[in-house]
Amino acid sequence: MTLRTLGALSVEGVTFRREKVLLLLAYLCLEGPQPRRRLAELFWPDATNPMNSLAQHLVHLRGLPGALAEDGPRVAAAMPCDAAQLRDLIRRGRHEAAAALYAGPFLDALTIPLGADLEEWVFDTRDAVAQAARAALMTLGAQAAAHGHAQQAGDLAARALTLPGAPPPDELDLPKLHHLLSLAGHPLAAQVERDARSLGLNLTAAPAPVSAPFAGREGELAALNTLTPGQTAWISGHAGMGKTALLEALARSGGWTVLAGRAAAPYATLSPLSAAPPTHPQAAHAALRDPHLRVAIDSWDAADPATQAALTHAAAARPGAVIVVTSRHHPPFDVDLHLNLGPLGPDDLRAHPELHARTDGHPVLVGHALRGQPLDLRLGARVRAYPDPVRDTFLLLALQDQPNLRATRAALNQDAGTFARTLAFLTTEGLTSETGRVYAAATTREHLSQIHVHAALLHLRLARALPENAAWPHYDRSRDLWEDHDETRAAHAARQHAHTHLRRGYPGQAAALLDTLAHLPALAVPHAWALIGVGRYQDALTRLSSLSAHDQQVGDALAARAVALVYLGRADEAVALAGQISGHGPDAAHAASVRAHAARMREEWDAARRHSQIAADLWNLHGDEEAHLTELGMAARAQVGLGAEPRTVFAPLLDRARDIPSARSRLLLNYVMLLGTLGQRREAEVLYPALMQALHEAGDTFGLANVHINRGVDAHESGDLTGAAEHYRAAIAHLRGTGNTRLLGVALSNLSEIDGNLSAFEDALTLLTGAGQHELVAQIRRNAQVQTGP
């Protein structure tokens, strides 16, 4: 429950109407714990027995759950109150929430007579709460003005001016209100001007409309606007971090004078503050004595030495004015507030959610984006003007998401001192972070890609300097410039990059990469494994045939060939090759997996489980979690064949494979297909969306084709021939180029059966027969609905 005192007097959610009781509760909420005697004398000054009157009202308050906290002679409120919440919100800088909470004047609905002291408290509190709400509205208006939202600033100022229950604005508020109202061209600006004139105040002319966009920095603006007379603030940051933009926004918020640092003559920077330019220290100090002056000096580094000396003296002497100074460096003297600006964070740009990803929060780039200008407009021009070594350092850093500084220095052939100075220069220029990361590097890369030869040369220099496990993307982008000695190292880098894809569970990406290097025999085996991973088994056999006769007998080549053969349904050939592999390495794990697969094809479940478990144990021994989980899935399939419940054996494995796409996709595939085989089609249907997504993420074309064939069979058997045909055609599209004759023949024969095309049906069976799939052909003929002969 909450006590409502703004615009009404009630307890939220309770029909309680005793005004004096609620007034007592409001007093306790706002003034804190009170002695009982003090309350009695304040609320019942004319009563015969004030303590008795208090006791009676406390009885009523005790009837409100959680209203009171009593401690001997003292009484306190334990219930939230909207007026107290408003004050707390303002203290915490939550001005928007505070303004929204103000629903009307404090205790404006009171109808009971009050003693003089209590009445004075009500009126004073009403003014104070309303002034707090007005201050919140004016702060919001100043922030809107700072960000270039003139109309919003004017509307907020108008609300502040006409706030119910608020006293007339004083000489401090009138200039701020006039500034915000004039900025928006609001008709109430004329009224404020008349009120100011009656108080003898001279208001500045209406400011020009603002078109410069500004985002973020709400916290910095609020901190600067809360500085009090005599205080000094310092704003530091590298070039482009928004120091000048912050001062411009501060000026738009009202009440600030912004001066540009100038070194033309002594005190040139401070000359606009007085009728005659200062010519000696006393005159400069006098210009900073006005406690109503709020002055910001843009660039300490550009100011003349005499101005710097005057500002140093003012920071120590506190003559009266609020002083803000910007610089690329930290303050050389003590200040009351130091703001060190860096890139804007995602929260600063929450009004423009796509902007941070495009700009990395770099203030200059944010400004360009808000104005609809190319992000390269200013930074690109600056970079092009730098000497070649500096420019190439920047570009080499921009080509890397996480720069390798050692490799970058090697690519530049710079000594450590030169490279460190160059990097420091780029950082102070606001082009890179302290770690060498280029802001909005994607934009630089996009522009660089338009200069193909120069970009390729930079990529090649990086590729040669980076470790092999990070070099491939740069070799890939510099192929046209490879020299003979680059090809061997590029092949090693490609092998490592493809292996990373395979380990992460993305065989499709590995296959796509190695497809482009099919002319290199050194990559035949990793290429074959990638092709097997996406179900292109015949392509894998073809790739392995490019090896010499000797290399084809090496363990990893034998294992890859055996796996490809068993998935093509040529189990006897696969088991024979597996028999040539010995030891306890990865090749032996593949050999055990081949034997398990052959046993599953013959539905010899105990042998299948045993060989799959051996393979899983070997993979676990070598730390390959993806292969370990995949093989455990095969063992789980065999356990179901021996009578286990599918969910019992598959659920723990799926949970373990959450972050390994390839393993998860294979486990899901086996689980869902198994459910369909067991007739649990409703359970399988629920899992199809997750399965399809997992297979797409893993790039598993074989798995996708398998799913479509199984779904086609389900639709076929239930009489949905149109749906079945769609699934079979989708499977055929996925199988195109994979070399998987077995699945292709199944899809073609089933589709031709639906179409009633006897010739196509026989062609599909001929295809399967030629691939040695005699048992499958016999099964299809038994199940076929098309009559193929008398």
Side-chain angles (χ1 to χ4, degrees):
M1 293 187 293
T2 300
L3 176 63
R4 300 296 178 191
T5 64
L6 301 176
L9 181 58
S10 64
V11 175
E12 193 176 62
V14 177
T15 55
F16 189 93
R17 295 290 181 263
R18 292 179 178 271
E19 290 188 3
K20 194 82 174 249
V21 175
L22 295 180
L23 174 59
L24 174 61
L25 181 58
Y27 186 87
L28 292 170
C29 285
L30 291 170
E31 300 300 328
Q34 299 292 320
R36 294 174 187 264
R37 184 160 299 278
R38 161 72 179 144
L39 292 173
E41 292 172 352
L42 177 65
F43 277 78
W44 295 275
D46 301 323
T48 304
N49 189 345
M51 292 296 289
N52 184 59
S53 298
L54 173 63
Q56 292 177 19
H57 283 70
L58 291 179
V59 168
H60 291 297
L61 276 181
R62 293 186 192 104
L64 290 174
L68 281 183
E70 300 180 73
D71 181 16
R74 298 176 68 82
V75 181
M79 178 181 290
C81 169
D82 55 359
Q85 288 174 334
L86 186 146
R87 288 177 170 179
D88 181 62
L89 287 169
I90 290 177
R91 278 195 297 270
R92 290 188 284 131
R94 297 181 56 189
H95 302 290
E96 189 171 359
L101 196 58
Y102 189 80
F106 176 72
L107 297 182
D108 195 37
L110 274 181
T111 61
I112 57 175
L114 303 175
D117 290 345
L118 188 57
E119 185 176 57
E120 183 181 356
W121 176 81
V122 170
F123 288 151
D124 287 348
T125 304
R126 182 176 298 164
D127 284 355
V129 173
Q131 284 179 320
R134 172 181 282 164
L137 288 167
M138 291 173 62
T139 298
L140 293 172
Q143 289 179 349
H147 288 78
H149 306 312
Q151 188 61 49
Q152 183 184 1
D155 291 343
L156 288 163
R159 283 179 58 193
L161 177 64
T162 60
L163 192 69
D170 59 22
E171 64 273 13
L172 294 177
D173 286 342
L174 283 171
K176 298 176 184 177
L177 289 168
H178 181 258
H179 174 86
L180 298 175
L181 292 167
S182 300
L183 194 67
H186 199 287
L188 285 176
Q191 175 189 322
V192 172
E193 192 169 354
R194 287 193 299 271
D195 293 343
R197 197 179 305 121
S198 68
L199 294 175
L201 295 175
N202 293 320
L203 300 178
T204 56
V210 176
S211 60
F214 183 75
R217 305 296 192 206
E218 280 83 0
E220 290 86 348
L221 283 167
L224 293 170
N225 272 314
T226 56
L227 291 170
T228 57
Q231 291 190 313
T232 302
W234 189 277
I235 304 172
S236 62
H238 297 312
M241 289 298 112
K243 300 183 294 296
T244 298
L246 180 58
L247 293 193
E248 291 173 352
L250 199 62
R252 290 197 293 272
S253 72
W256 286 87
T257 299
V258 177
L259 305 176
R262 295 189 297 157
Y267 304 112
T269 302
L270 298 177
S271 61
L273 295 181
S274 51
T279 57
H280 52 81
Q282 290 77 11
H285 299 161
L288 297 172
R289 288 194 184 119
D290 183 0
H292 295 100
L293 176 64
R294 297 158 74 83
V295 63
I297 311 298
D298 190 15
S299 185
W300 168 273
D301 312 278
D304 60 275
T307 292
Q308 292 180 347
L311 293 173
T312 302
H313 177 271
R318 299 178 177 269
V322 175
I323 300 172
V324 174
V325 181
T326 71
S327 171
R328 290 191 181 186
H329 309 289
H330 283 215
F333 46 77
D334 291 338
V335 295
D336 298 288
L337 174 68
H338 179 202
L339 300 175
N340 187 29
L341 302 188
L344 296 163
D347 287 345
D348 297 318
L349 299 175
R350 57 184 175 275
H352 312 277
E354 79 295 342
L355 212 53
H356 191 269
R358 289 178 57 204
T359 65
D360 281 341
H362 192 292
V364 168
L365 300 180
V366 169
H368 287 331
L370 290 174
R371 284 187 286 268
Q373 297 170 331
L375 297 188
D376 191 44
L377 185 64
R378 193 195 304 181
L379 298 189
R382 284 167 56 196
V383 170
R384 286 189 288 274
Y386 292 149
D388 289 351
V390 176
R391 185 191 63 236
D392 284 352
T393 301
F394 172 80
L395 294 176
L396 284 171
L397 292 170
L399 292 178
Q400 306 169 72
D401 289 325
Q402 299 296 332
N404 183 319
L405 298 183
R406 182 175 182 178
T408 304
R409 183 176 71 81
L412 291 162
N413 196 27
Q414 289 184 359
D415 62 79
T418 301
F419 181 69
R421 287 191 294 273
T422 304
L423 186 58
F425 172 78
L426 292 172
T427 302
T428 56
E429 285 293 291
L431 297 172
T432 66
S433 69
E434 301 286 350
T435 62
R437 187 172 181 272
V438 170
Y439 296 113
T443 300
T444 301
R445 289 197 287 266
E446 181 181 341
H447 286 278
L448 186 57
S449 65
Q450 298 171 14
I451 313 171
H452 176 73
V453 175
H454 187 59
L457 180 59
L458 290 172
H459 277 295
L460 184 59
R461 289 166 68 180
L462 262 181
R464 289 169 173 172
L466 284 166
E468 282 186 357
N469 61 0
W472 172 250
H474 301 285
Y475 274 124
D476 189 28
R477 290 170 175 81
S478 59
R479 292 186 191 220
D480 293 343
L481 301 182
W482 285 5
E483 297 180 31
D484 291 343
H485 64 86
D486 289 310
E487 193 162 277
T488 300
R489 191 169 189 273
H492 292 161
R495 178 197 294 268
Q496 291 201 38
H497 202 67
H499 183 66
T500 299
H501 285 317
L502 289 171
R503 290 296 300 267
R504 289 176 56 236
Y506 293 97
Q509 295 180 22
L513 186 164
L514 296 176
D515 280 347
T516 66
L517 299 168
H519 63 287
L520 298 177
L523 297 178
V525 174
H527 192 187
W529 283 120
L531 293 170
I532 290 169
V534 293
R536 292 167 57 186
Y537 306 122
Q538 190 59 52
D539 288 347
L541 291 177
T542 301
R543 185 71 171 97
L544 290 168
S545 66
S546 67
L547 292 169
S548 66
H550 174 270
D551 288 343
Q552 288 188 36
Q553 298 303 310
V554 176
D556 58 352
L558 284 173
R561 183 178 295 276
V563 171
L565 286 170
V566 81
Y567 279 119
L568 285 170
R570 295 158 63 178
D572 292 341
E573 295 175 69
V575 171
L577 284 177
Q580 300 178 37
I581 299 171
S582 59
H584 302 283
D587 301 335
H590 284 302
S593 184
V594 165
R595 295 187 185 96
H597 192 94
R600 284 193 301 274
M601 292 174 66
R602 296 189 294 269
E603 296 189 1
E604 297 173 356
W605 300 118
D606 190 55
R609 181 201 58 74
R610 180 163 42 84
H611 288 301
S612 286
Q613 189 62 55
I614 291 171
D617 291 340
L618 289 172
W619 286 124
N620 191 37
L621 180 65
H622 289 277
D624 191 330
E625 184 66 4
E626 187 270 339
H628 178 225
L629 287 170
T630 300
E631 204 60 55
L632 285 177
M634 295 295 99
R637 171 66 185 91
Q639 286 178 268
V640 174
L642 293 168
E645 170 63 33
R647 179 175 179 78
T648 302
V649 292
F650 274 94
L653 298 177
L654 288 168
D655 186 59
R656 287 174 58 182
R658 281 194 309 269
D659 300 322
I660 307 177
S662 182
R664 181 171 175 78
S665 67
R666 285 306 174 105
L667 286 167
L668 265 177
L669 178 64
N670 284 309
Y671 182 39
V672 174
M673 297 302 100
L674 183 58
L675 291 175
T677 302
L678 297 175
Q680 301 177 30
R681 291 178 180 170
R682 180 173 297 179
E683 292 85 343
E685 195 69 32
V686 172
L687 293 171
Y688 274 128
L691 172 58
M692 299 297 283
Q693 181 180 347
L695 291 169
H696 276 294
E697 288 177 356
D700 191 343
T701 54
F702 162 73
L704 289 166
N706 225 326
V707 171
H708 280 296
I709 288 175
N710 278 272
R711 298 194 75 178
V713 170
D714 289 345
H716 200 158
E717 292 179 354
S718 64
D720 179 10
L721 300 185
T722 301
E726 290 178 358
H727 281 298
Y728 292 144
R729 291 190 181 97
I732 292 168
H734 283 299
L735 289 166
R736 189 172 292 117
T738 66
N740 194 313
T741 307
R742 176 185 173 87
L743 280 183
L744 182 64
V746 171
L748 287 171
S749 62
N750 289 356
L751 182 60
S752 61
E753 181 183 343
I754 290 174
D755 293 339
N757 188 333
L758 182 59
S759 176
F761 181 79
E762 287 297 336
D763 288 343
L765 297 188
T766 300
L767 177 70
L768 288 169
T769 301
Q773 301 288 336
H774 303 291
E775 293 182 6
L776 180 59
V777 169
Q779 180 184 344
I780 291 173
R781 287 194 182 281
R782 286 195 299 271
N783 297 336
Q785 296 175 9
V786 176
Q787 296 297 317
T788 60

